[in-house]
Amino acid sequence: MTSDLMARFPIGAAATVASLEDDPHPLLARLRADEPVSWLPALDGWLVTSHALAVRVMRDAAAFTVDDPRFSTARLVGPSMLSLDGRAHTRHREPFARPFRPAQTRERFTAFVQAEVDRLVAALAPAGRAELRGDLAGPLAVAVVAEALGLEGVDAATIRSWYGAFVDAVSDLTAGGDVPERAREAHGLLREAVEAALSDGPERSEDRPTARQGSGGRPPGKSEPDGPERSEDRPTARQGSGGRPPGKSEPDGPERSEDRASSLLAEAAHQDEGLTVAEVVANAAVLMFGGIDTTEGMIVNVAHHLLAAPGAAAAVRAEPGLLDAAIEESLRVEPSASVVDRYATRDTDLGGAPVRAGDLVRVSIAGANRDPEVFPAPDRFDVRRGNSADHLAFAHGPHFCFGAHLARLEARTALHAILERLPNLRLDPARPAAAHGLVFRKPPHVHVRWDI
């Protein structure tokens, strides 16, 4: 069967992981033109590069699911909103999604994001040069996720090391590897931090019987299971240990308990859905992927596109209202999360490809975002493009990224500040870089200079 597919899809058969990591766009263009759904032995699955077919796959969770034991994040952190569909997905997602609706995002995060950006840019300004990923985008994304999760007592370097381990592990798993030990250790430390954060808030009724009916929980009146598996669900940090995980600092004062009680984690744990500690930890790790790595990538990709495209930065400086359009166009040209995985639940014809039940169906967001049937001259970065927002950078369907509003807020605030406050901001020609990565795509560094 595989040899037949290789003969039928020769472009996909010749594709390599390296070609998808370095500069995938020429390959994706050939696939999109001749094999919009292609079999890639390098991925042991199908790759979808057509915008219309990508939307079809992401919209139809009944035919193309994330709920499969091979799903990379599930192998790393366990079941979460990212690796479940149907009622189980809703149960995991809704407690976290509610605080990220547009009005709540503006109310909860605007002042915090502005203050962090002001602090970071003020520290950079006298130097006349900086590396935007390490000096601005990364620290901002880490600070916002720490604020959202209620882990402010864990230092930024620790949070960054955890999410770095998770991101590397997802890339390794996507390329066919195993979960690295470093990622397992990071998951254990994150669990300790979550337990400590929850223990500082109001007591969580994790055994609320109605919360877990229909999702593996016990019905009313059923006694506590005696087996060792219950230890995974117990908030062990509240059983008298009083300890804090490595990298965790002491609270600044009594008000920290109130801050943690109102944190995203505490809200999720105390909702009627009754997520267990293990489930809260898994979803906290997922939020690190989206809240840190992809947001960091989004910010540096926008900066790189604006400063590299002739006249783009000048146009935005002259007409600040174009900044939002520039952000959407950058998300289209180089989405920081370039692929999403689904698994076929039944045999189906997808764009003429004979997809079989159980097959991996990988959607190339990067490929779909440059589909010329939707975006004319798709390789050009154009801040005045009329339909940039039709991109799929935040996915589509039931797994659309609910953090999109917050990510846009961070990018808008950071880009406005550096364009306004760093005169003649420009890329450092002596230190060029380009986006790289199989799953998470961004430049390894973005060195810039400005006049002082």
Side-chain angles (χ1 to χ4, degrees):
M1 177 65 176
T2 300
S3 59
D4 292 343
L5 292 176
M6 291 175 67
R8 183 170 172 180
F9 301 100
I11 300 174
T16 65
V17 170
S19 66
L20 293 169
E21 285 181 326
D22 297 334
D23 180 10
H25 298 294
L27 171 61
L28 295 176
R30 295 196 302 274
L31 288 167
R32 194 171 49 239
D34 297 327
E35 301 172 11
V37 181
S38 182
W39 179 262
L40 273 66
L43 302 178
D44 194 26
W46 300 96
L47 188 68
V48 180
T49 51
S50 153
H51 188 280
L53 293 174
V55 169
R56 174 183 163 187
V57 170
M58 290 187 288
R59 180 179 288 166
D60 189 356
F64 303 99
T65 186
V66 297
D67 195 353
D68 186 282
R70 293 167 290 175
F71 196 78
S72 57
T73 57
R75 292 172 61 192
L76 176 61
V77 301
S80 72
M81 69 180 92
L82 203 60
S83 60
L84 295 167
D85 276 317
R87 291 178 62 189
H89 170 248
T90 301
R91 175 175 171 266
H92 279 250
R93 177 184 170 101
E94 278 305 302
F96 288 90
R98 291 185 196 112
F100 288 98
R101 290 170 180 149
Q104 288 91 329
T105 295
R106 288 191 298 271
E107 178 181 357
R108 187 167 187 167
F109 293 105
T110 297
F112 180 84
V113 170
Q114 186 65 62
E116 281 297 302
V117 168
D118 289 346
R119 181 182 66 81
L120 291 165
V121 175
L124 297 178
R129 64 179 64 199
E131 194 284 291
L132 290 181
R133 180 177 169 185
D135 295 337
L136 176 62
L140 173 61
V142 169
V144 171
V145 165
E147 171 73 8
L149 295 181
L151 298 179
E152 298 95 328
V154 180
D155 62 78
T158 299
I159 292 177
R160 195 174 182 89
S161 71
W162 292 344
Y163 99 81
F166 296 150
V167 167
D168 290 346
V170 169
S171 296
D172 288 348
L173 290 167
T174 302
D178 296 319
V179 178
E181 183 59 31
R182 173 173 171 248
R184 297 184 192 278
E185 293 174 358
H187 183 260
L189 294 173
L190 173 61
R191 180 186 174 102
E192 292 180 21
V194 169
E195 289 172 342
L198 294 179
S199 73
D200 285 345
E203 188 68 17
R204 183 166 118 358
S205 63
E206 66 164 358
D207 295 330
R208 200 176 287 138
T210 58
R212 294 204 293 272
Q213 290 175 15
S215 57
R218 63 186 184 279
K222 185 162 183 67
S223 62
E224 181 81 15
D226 297 325
E229 69 275 6
R230 282 297 299 147
S231 65
E232 168 110 291
D233 295 338
R234 289 191 186 112
T236 56
R238 290 209 304 271
Q239 296 174 356
S241 65
R244 297 190 178 273
K248 191 165 187 67
S249 62
E250 285 297 321
D252 297 326
E255 72 279 5
R256 292 292 299 119
S257 178
E258 292 182 13
D259 291 343
R260 285 211 183 100
S262 63
S263 76
L264 182 63
L265 296 182
E267 289 178 15
H270 290 87
Q271 295 290 337
D272 288 341
E273 289 83 356
L275 296 180
T276 67
V277 170
E279 292 167 338
V280 173
V281 172
N283 287 295
V286 164
L287 290 179
M288 286 188 175
F289 304 145
I292 298 178
D293 195 80
T294 55
T295 302
E296 175 191 284
M298 175 181 169
I299 294 169
V300 296
N301 285 345
V302 178
H304 191 269
H305 287 135
L306 275 174
L307 298 176
V316 172
R317 287 190 186 99
E319 195 175 337
L322 286 175
L323 180 56
D324 284 345
I327 291 170
E328 298 307 312
E329 177 70 343
S330 177
L331 286 164
R332 183 194 69 80
V333 170
E334 196 73 85
S336 54
S338 67
V339 296
V340 295
D341 287 355
R342 300 291 186 267
Y343 296 89
T345 61
R346 56 179 178 261
D347 293 355
T348 188
D349 180 286
L350 182 62
V355 177
R356 297 291 176 255
D359 282 355
L360 166 65
V361 180
R362 179 162 293 165
V363 175
S364 173
I365 303 296
N369 278 0
R370 297 198 188 194
D371 190 335
E373 292 190 8
V374 181
F375 307 104
D379 295 328
R380 187 178 72 235
F381 178 77
D382 181 0
V383 298
R384 298 185 186 277
R385 187 182 297 275
N387 68 337
S388 297
D390 291 338
H391 65 75
L392 303 175
F394 293 115
H396 191 82
H399 289 275
F400 179 82
C401 175
F402 60 68
H405 305 296
L406 179 56
R408 287 182 171 113
L409 171 64
E410 292 177 62
R412 184 186 312 116
T413 307
L415 269 295
H416 180 267
I418 62 174
L419 289 173
E420 181 179 73
R421 295 165 59 181
L422 305 179
N424 192 25
L425 181 69
R426 58 200 183 273
L427 294 174
D428 186 341
R431 309 182 77 172
H436 177 86
L438 179 63
V439 180
F440 304 104
R441 288 191 60 78
K442 56 184 172 293
H445 52 80
V446 177
H447 288 275
V448 294
R449 306 183 71 170
W450 59 90
D451 298 341
I452 54 174

